[in-house]
Amino acid sequence: MNALETPRRAAPIDRQHALDLLYEMKRIRRFEEKCAELYSAGHIRGFLHLYIGEEAVAVGALRALTPDDAVVSTYREHGHALVRGVPAGAVMAEMYGKANGCSRGRGGSMHLFDAGRRLYGGNAIVGGGLPLAAGLALADRMQNRPVVTACFFGDGAVAEGEFHESMNLAALWKLPVLFLCENNRYAMGTALERHQAQTDIQAKAAGYGVPAAAVDGMDVLAVEEAARTAVSIVRAGGPFLLEARTYRFRAHSMYDAELYRPKEEVEQWKQRDPIRLFETRLLAEAILTPEDIAALEVRAAADVAEAVAFAEAGPWEPVEDLTRDVYTPRAGDSSGRPGLNTAAASDADKRRPRP
Amino acid sequence: MSRITYREAVKAGLREALIGDPHVFLMGEDVGRYGGAYACSKGFLEEFGPERIRDTPLCESTFVGAGIGAALGGMRPIVEVMTVNFSLLALDQIVNNAATLRHMSGGQFSVPLVVRMATGGGRQLAAQHSHSLEVWYAHVPGIQVVAPATVTDARHMLGLALREPDPVFIFEHALLYPMEGELDESPPADLLHAAIRRPGNDVTVVTYGGSLWKCLQAAETLAKSGVEAEVIDLRSLRPLDMPTVLASVARTHRAVIVDEGWKTCSLAAEISAGIMEGGFYDLDAPVARVCSIEAPMPYAKHLEDAALPQPEGIVSAVMNLVGRHV
Ligand SMILES: Cc1ncc(C[n+]2csc(CCOP(=O)(O)OP(=O)(O)O)c2C)c(N)n1
């Protein structure tokens, strides 16, 4: 099966649906642009991997999930977190390193977590999330929960053993995992054809007996439809590999010299900007008006401004709490586990004179 | 002597190695097109070509293992693992193959492999990107581990490592790449000896890698209070040059060990034990350790600063030892 080849469905697009999808994409775009600004101003530090250009993937794919499903993500996960429903303020505060961040300021941009929304983290080790997804799905299966785990990863991760091992395990044990490859054609500075002998990523699934499809990752409706089909197959009992073909418009992390790709290539892909593509279509089919779109923009900007204000107002975690949550507090402990969190104290006070 | 950055020093060392021996080649993630995650091989792809500057897919276990194989097969690979954090995916190849093949084959095979990687915290990269796990490698017999702290060592340690018949692991603290320093054009005598970076008679401060500069800064502060710290840069983490440490402790009678790793089962623990075994009767005070707080590294700056050894902490550890005796 290859969803890239499925003909465009003829059914008219529902207006509210269009507004929702477009708004979600615009909110991510605005959020990411704000992050870049805040990084330059020094409010956000560390690594910052922007999702600009790839918005249609998170927005389309996560629509196919229910709140009970689980999500495992990467370090390029702001978009995933936002669409999953993590409040933008909590995500922004996390990047500020504030205690009102979704990971208390311990994780930063690459480690957004939200237990309530079953978001099991941005993972900064490439491929690191794939086995977790298999395990989460295993736990759901063993406890008869009819849910799926969606696992995002990049094309670069496909080279890691974890990808192959997780695909095999999930197929072998019929685990309900949606493997969702965000193929943006680059692993940092290494182009797909320089890191994969077989560049048709979805084709690799056949070797594990896993059904797969590729979808145009710049077309939010196509992603949504492909994800719905994929999720229904996963719910029916076994993994699926969905490859979304997309492109990142910005550097790998905040800055890089981008020596590895021609400017024309970036410009060409920008012609297929997922937001612009969708808008153009919606206007052409008279589903939305330019005023509708302008209103969405205002709303997205206001939401992001509110998120920044929430982050700015947030408190810093006290330094005394540094060793909190290294271990889970045991019943009766108030401060984690004494003796586990701190190494032995100095003996310097019990000084004896030298003979 | 000339002033250059640590990054330029590493790059000059690599370049010299590539020019000097056609069997030498460099491989790792993004060493080619991208120019190296820390820009240590920028321009090399153009200069040496894709046969010798090999971008690998993301597959640490396999490209480190392939480095071991290529070394067995007569090449002289330099493998760059982007950072120590990702080297964990290659630990099996390192511990079970690189370190064992010589001994396990009854001396039939050697693995002349050099692996370089960035290490350390301090850049707000959070728990998965801030490790200082040099001690894990230093634990393993069959490999050598070095940590260049100065531009001169950054420039020359690679060349010295390439003379070794066995695997050598070079740990470059990521905060050092932009640091400038005076380059000594003549290579140090060997990889094995610790260096006294600052002489002093009141306390021995033992350290390595990125922490050296914090220790030297602390030593300047201490000097203002009349405490002269002798700062030892270990340079080699396996083997450890304990004679140099012990000779210093015999003069100063006090030792503080500064190590960015976690305290429990750290290099600092090993050195402390070595001082206990070889210098116990020279000590006027218990050995002190300044290490990272026992927690995964937090992202927020104030927490990260608090988690890592800092000059102020080194000063107070020293004052705690000497204070009542000076
Ligand atoms: C195991 C591991 N190796 C190397 C890295 C450094 N690194 C971070 S992102 C990246 C590229 C990953 O590319 P891809 O999986 O395609 O995801 P993208 O960044 O394009 O979203 C690399 C090499 C890492 N984080 N983890």
Side-chain angles (χ1 to χ4, degrees):
Chain A
M1 168 175 34
N2 191 329
L4 269 183
E5 286 148 22
T6 53
R8 159 75 57 231
R9 60 182 179 164
I13 307 165
D14 173 71
R15 177 179 152 85
Q16 190 53 49
H17 189 52
L19 283 168
D20 290 350
L21 294 178
L22 188 57
Y23 168 69
E24 285 288 12
M25 289 200 288
K26 280 187 178 295
R27 186 167 70 122
I28 296 173
R29 179 70 56 94
R30 193 70 206 100
F31 187 91
E32 296 292 62
E33 286 167 352
K34 193 58 167 181
C35 286
E37 248 175 80
L38 291 166
Y39 195 91
S40 302
H43 294 295
I44 299 176
R45 298 277 69 183
F47 287 157
L48 180 64
H49 306 85
L50 300 177
Y51 198 57
I52 294 177
E54 307 185 34
E55 294 91 342
V57 183
V59 172
L62 289 171
R63 286 244 144 196
L65 300 187
T66 71
D68 291 334
D69 295 327
V71 178
V72 176
S73 188
T74 68
Y75 47 85
R76 197 183 299 287
E77 88 285 36
H78 307 169
H80 307 151
L82 291 173
V83 180
R84 191 60 188 165
V86 185
V91 177
M92 190 59 88
E94 187 55 35
M95 282 184 248
Y96 269 69
K98 295 287 185 77
N100 58 343
C102 60
S103 312
R104 287 188 68 81
R106 265 95 175 273
S109 161
M110 302 196 286
H111 303 294
L112 305 173
F113 289 85
D114 191 329
R117 293 176 178 84
R118 297 204 74 201
L119 172 61
Y120 289 91
N123 199 309
I125 301 299
V126 172
L130 287 139
L132 295 186
L136 283 161
L138 176 64
D140 287 330
R141 253 266 324 270
M142 291 179 78
Q143 295 168 95
N144 297 317
R145 289 191 292 250
V147 298
V148 311
T149 298
C151 180
F152 289 93
F153 53 96
D155 51 288
V158 167
E160 294 282 8
E162 277 85 348
F163 168 77
H164 301 273
E165 296 173 24
S166 301
M167 289 274 285
N168 181 52
L169 194 72
L172 189 68
W173 290 351
K174 301 195 172 33
L175 302 176
V177 183
L178 172 61
F179 291 101
L180 225 160
C181 180
E182 299 185 297
N183 173 7
N184 62 15
R185 306 195 53 80
Y186 287 88
M188 219 165 123
T190 303
L192 182 63
E193 47 282 0
R194 316 188 105 258
H195 72 75
Q196 292 297 315
Q198 166 58 280
T199 53
D200 185 6
I201 290 174
Q202 61 86 29
K204 294 170 195 286
Y208 302 104
V210 171
V215 64
D216 177 0
M218 298 312 214
D219 179 342
V220 68
L221 290 174
V223 174
E224 183 183 2
E225 191 177 308
R228 286 197 192 281
T229 308
V231 166
S232 67
I233 292 170
V234 174
R235 281 200 208 286
F240 190 98
L241 171 64
L242 180 61
E243 175 195 350
R245 295 184 176 158
T246 180
Y247 200 80
R248 76 170 146 74
F249 291 173
R250 309 282 286 241
H252 166 73
S253 183
M254 254 314 274
Y255 308 109
D256 72 40
E258 298 196 52
L259 301 173
Y260 50 83
R261 61 183 188 184
K263 287 207 167 52
E264 305 78 66
E265 181 188 292
V266 181
E267 285 315 310
Q268 229 171 351
W269 275 91
K270 282 186 178 168
Q271 300 306 310
R272 304 210 60 241
D273 181 321
I275 297 179
R276 195 129 46 86
L277 276 187
F278 193 43
E279 276 176 4
T280 309
R281 179 163 173 211
L282 294 171
L283 290 172
E285 297 182 19
I287 293 157
L288 298 189
T289 64
E291 292 71 38
D292 290 328
I293 291 172
L296 288 184
E297 242 141 55
V298 171
R299 197 174 130 211
D303 284 2
V304 171
E306 195 184 306
V308 174
F310 180 80
E312 296 271 353
W316 300 106
E317 183 172 23
V319 170
E320 301 72 59
D321 285 358
L322 193 49
T323 54
R324 178 176 150 187
D325 290 324
V326 177
Y327 297 96
T328 306
R330 283 12 179 215
D333 288 356
S334 53
S335 59
R337 287 195 85 180
L340 279 181
N341 280 346
T342 47
S346 164
D347 201 27
D349 292 336
K350 302 184 202 142
R351 197 182 303 268
R352 275 186 299 152
R354 216 152 65 93
Chain B
M1 296 273 250
S2 59
R3 278 191 85 71
I4 84 173
T5 64
Y6 188 95
R7 183 193 327 278
E8 287 160 353
V10 170
K11 193 173 171 186
L14 281 166
R15 207 167 158 265
E16 180 185 60
L18 285 156
I19 290 169
D21 179 352
H23 290 95
V24 168
F25 69 99
L26 175 68
M27 69 171 156
E29 290 159 9
D30 287 307
V31 297
R33 293 276 148 140
Y34 195 87
Y38 297 96
C40 292
S41 50
K42 214 167 180 174
F44 282 16
L45 182 62
E46 293 72 21
E47 185 174 357
F48 299 104
E51 271 292 297
R52 297 183 71 203
I53 307 297
R54 307 188 78 93
D55 276 326
T56 64
L58 274 123
C59 54
E60 290 78 6
S61 183
T62 294
F63 71 73
V64 171
I68 297 168
L72 284 171
M75 293 300 287
R76 207 53 175 95
I78 300 171
V79 175
E80 176 176 310
V81 181
M82 204 176 277
T83 74
V84 65
N85 312 290
F86 319 140
S87 78
L88 302 186
L89 280 78
L91 263 182
D92 168 61
Q93 287 297 324
I94 295 165
V95 176
N96 279 323
N97 281 340
T100 61
L101 287 172
R102 172 84 195 160
H103 190 261
M104 198 164 67
S105 67
Q108 296 180 77
F109 297 111
S110 292
V111 181
L113 168 73
V114 173
V115 178
R116 299 174 40 242
M117 59 185 100
T119 186
R123 300 188 303 147
Q124 284 194 264
L125 298 182
Q128 295 180 335
H129 272 55
S130 303
H131 291 302
S132 293
L133 296 173
E134 294 85 292
V135 65
W136 289 23
Y137 294 86
H139 182 64
V140 182
I143 64 179
Q144 254 176 270
V145 181
V146 298
T150 63
V151 296
T152 299
D153 272 342
R155 168 69 182 82
H156 297 297
M157 271 187 168
L158 177 69
L160 292 168
L162 286 167
R163 283 193 220 150
E164 298 290 334
D166 299 312
V168 180
F169 287 73
I170 304 179
F171 286 89
E172 299 161 4
H173 198 292
L175 282 179
L176 296 181
Y177 290 116
M179 178 194 76
E180 270 196 18
E182 292 292 333
L183 173 69
D184 191 341
E185 295 290 352
S186 50
D190 60 43
L191 276 184
L192 301 176
H193 284 90
I196 295 173
R197 301 293 183 198
R198 183 192 192 281
N201 286 319
D202 298 324
V203 60
T204 299
V205 176
V206 185
T207 191
Y208 69 91
S211 299
L212 171 65
W213 303 96
K214 293 178 178 173
C215 292
L216 290 171
Q217 202 184 321
E220 290 311 307
T221 308
L222 287 163
K224 290 187 194 122
S225 321
V227 177
E228 292 299 334
E230 177 144 296
V231 179
I232 295 182
D233 170 9
L234 287 168
R235 298 179 70 246
S236 171
L237 308 182
R238 182 182 189 98
L240 281 170
D241 178 8
M242 284 310 292
T244 297
V245 173
L246 291 170
S248 174
V249 172
R251 277 185 288 106
T252 65
H253 309 296
R254 299 171 186 88
V256 174
I257 305 150
V258 181
D259 173 1
E260 204 182 299
W262 292 300
K263 186 183 272 184
T264 303
C265 302
S266 58
L267 269 164
E270 176 59 30
I271 295 156
S272 172
I275 295 172
M276 233 59 90
E277 286 165 351
F280 182 77
Y281 297 105
D282 292 323
L283 288 172
D284 273 353
V287 173
R289 292 182 282 164
V290 180
C291 299
S292 284
I293 296 294
E294 306 263 329
M297 193 66 75
Y299 161 73
K301 174 148 175 53
H302 66 297
L303 297 180
E304 184 183 45
D305 284 348
L308 289 166
Q310 301 295 353
E312 304 74 50
I314 301 166
V315 167
S316 60
V318 169
M319 289 309 263
N320 196 32
L321 288 197
V322 300
R324 278 157 283 188
H325 269 269
V326 171

